[in-house]
């Protein structure tokens, strides 16, 4: 049972309208009452009420800050414990002074990263998939990713996993009956029935795993390398996509000498853009380092945007890049179509699918809609929207679903091989436990600590 009371700043550090300190634990209300001066007696205040007053240092009588204090009594709070939130003026000094005063007497300690969400999990308010969705909400890079994380935080994935486990525990109960009372004719306890139930569970896991690739993209973004020879418009493309002058653009070849990284969303698709140095042979030491980094980014990319200059014929460097990118996920952008065309597009289309070649003018911002459509077709089958937002996006969840599926396949194969039913039971129980690890019903404490350590302080 949790005995101590914790506190931390829950808002980002910096100037703002307000800053919030969150306090949670058995002594949250009484401890804060010792520093809060108001017409209200918050020690007896109802849950979910807001009180105006001042934080006062009881030793000196000095008024430290003017605040609004919110009382939320457990279990009707985020952590399922008594929670007090103190809203101070925004800025570093005000909120820091209040927090230091709360921590000074030692009855409240500073929270660890993610400890509020960890307490919500340990107190049974949320399961592990919901807890992990909280960090996905914070890190969301697109509206779509936020919507998916919000659905997971509400328990949509948890419900599906719990339904799977419920079906498996029923199957295990039937197996136990068959083992304990072999003389009884249990109609459902046949190998065919085990194969049917395990096969149904496998099919449901397959439906969840089918969303894994899209979910991972929505969660982490598509690592997208913008490559090409110097001066074909790579940096201009980056600036056009992010709608900001992030990269220096000049007529001088080799202006970009390092990999510039930016996040943006294109039609709801999160992209992690890498603007690379123009790939060419060069004697310049600094530019050569940039070219090597470009080649590394090229290897790590999920998507490559190959920019060619449509206003000049294909150069040896263009052909060399096209050769290197054969078989990779590439969208070819024929840039500078606002100028007279001199590039033979048919040579490009013999190397890459015609629907992966986009004619555009970055200068006039033409072709961006076509680029969005191509990316959707490549990664989402042309359709991003879905009524069901139950995407599996977490690497840990994907691994456990695959493990559970394999355990069920092992159980099916065991029945087909005539293996005794008590041995088959082991595989079914293993699958049940692996699914339980997803939602936190059976998980090592070290893994719990590792998951919550990724959270920011105050969450």
């Amino acid at each position: 049972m949790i005995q101590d009371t914790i506190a931390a700043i829950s808002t980002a550090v910096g100037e703002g309208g307000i800053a919030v300190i969150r306090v949670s634990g058995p002594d949250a209300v009484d401890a804060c009452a010792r520093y809060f001066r108001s017409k209200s007696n918050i020690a007896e205040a109802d849950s979910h009420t807001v009180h105006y007053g001042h934080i006062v240092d009881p030793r000196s009588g000095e008024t430290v800050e003017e605040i609004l204090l919110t009382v939320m009594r457990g279990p009707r709070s985020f952590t399922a414990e008594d929670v007090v939130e103190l809203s101070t003026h925004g800025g570093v000094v005000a909120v820091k002074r209040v927090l230091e005063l709360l921590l000074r007497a030692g009855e409240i300690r500073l929270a660890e990263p993610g400890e509020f969400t960890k307490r919500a999990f340990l107190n049974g308010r949320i399961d592990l998939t919901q807890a992990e969705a909280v960090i996905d909400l914070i890190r969301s890079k697109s509206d779509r990713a936020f919507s998916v994380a919000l659905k997971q935080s509400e328990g949509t994935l948890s419900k599906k996993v719990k339904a799977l486990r419920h079906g498996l525990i029923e199957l295990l109960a039937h197996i136990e009956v068959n083992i304990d009372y072999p003389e009884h004719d249990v109609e459902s306890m046949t190998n065919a029935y085990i194969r049917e139930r395990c096969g149904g569970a496998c099919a449901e896991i397959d439906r969840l795993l089918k969303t894994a690739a899209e979910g991972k993209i929505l969660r982490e973004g598509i690592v997208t390398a913008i490559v090409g020879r110097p001066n074909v418009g790579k940096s201009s493309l980056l600036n056009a996509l992010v709608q900001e002058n992030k990269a220096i653009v000049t007529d001088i070849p080799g202006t970009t000498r390092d990999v510039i990284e930016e996040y943006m969303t294109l039609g709801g698709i999160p992209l992690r853009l890498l603007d690379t140095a123009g790939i060419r042979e060069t004697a310049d030491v600094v530019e050569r380092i940039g070219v090597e980094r470009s080649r590394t980014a090229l290897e790590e990319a999920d998507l490559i945007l190959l920019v060619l200059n449509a206003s000049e014929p294909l150069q040896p460097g263009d052909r060399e890049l096209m050769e290197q990118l054969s078989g990779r996920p590439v969208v070819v952008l024929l840039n500078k179509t606002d100028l007279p065309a001199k590039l033979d597009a048919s040579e490009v289309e013999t190397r890459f699918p015609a629907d992966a070649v986009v004619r555009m003018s970055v200068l006039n911002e033409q072709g961006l809609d076509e680029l969005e459509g191509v990316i959707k077709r490549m990664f989402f089958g042309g359709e991003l929207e879905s009524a069901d937002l139950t995407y599996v996006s977490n690497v840990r969840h994907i691994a456990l679903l695959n493990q559970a599926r394999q355990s069920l396949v092992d159980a099916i194969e065991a029945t087909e091989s005539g293996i005794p039913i008590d041995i088959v039971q082991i595989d079914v129980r293993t699958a049940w436990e692996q699914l339980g690890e997803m939602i936190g019903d059976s998980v090592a404490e070290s893994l719990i600590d590792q998951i919550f350590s990724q959270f920011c302080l105050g969450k």
Side-chain angles (χ1 to χ4, degrees), residues 54 57 60 93 431:
H54 295 82
D57 185 340
S60 64
V93 175

Side-chain angles (χ1 to χ4, degrees), residues 318-380:
D318 296 323
R319 292 189 176 92
E320 182 182 343
L321 272 173
M322 289 194 292
E323 185 68 32
Q324 291 176 8
L325 299 178
S326 177
R328 299 289 303 279
V330 178
V331 179
V332 182
L333 305 178
L334 305 183
N335 188 30
K336 304 188 181 182
T337 55
D338 52 294
L339 300 174
K342 296 182 180 179
L343 185 145
D344 182 5
S346 62
E347 185 177 347
V348 177
E349 291 172 351
T350 58
R351 293 176 178 267
F352 302 98
D355 60 358
V357 179
V358 178
R359 290 163 175 79
M360 70 188 313
S361 169
V362 174
L363 181 65
N364 297 328
E365 296 192 358
Q366 295 175 347
L368 296 180
D369 290 341
E370 289 81 357
L371 174 59
E372 174 187 328
V374 172
I375 295 175
K376 279 186 178 179
R377 286 195 299 273
M378 290 178 69
F379 290 89
F380 296 92

Side-chain angles (χ1 to χ4, degrees), residues 165 285 297 313:
R165 297 190 83 219
V285 175

Side-chain angles (χ1 to χ4, degrees), residues 2 184 252 284 315:
I2 297 171
H184 290 275
I252 304 170
D284 189 299
Q315 303 295 309

Side-chain angles (χ1 to χ4, degrees), residues 113-126:
E115 190 169 1
F116 293 99
T117 309
K118 183 178 180 180
R119 288 190 175 203
F121 165 68
L122 294 175
N123 291 328
R125 184 185 175 278
I126 58 176

Side-chain angles (χ1 to χ4, degrees), residues 11 42 219 226 243 266 269 281 284 287 332 350 407 423 440:
T11 44
I42 66 163
R219 184 174 188 257
I226 304 173
Q243 294 293 300
L266 187 66
I269 304 170
E281 295 299 324
D284 189 299
E287 187 181 356
V332 182
T350 58
S407 296
I423 303 300

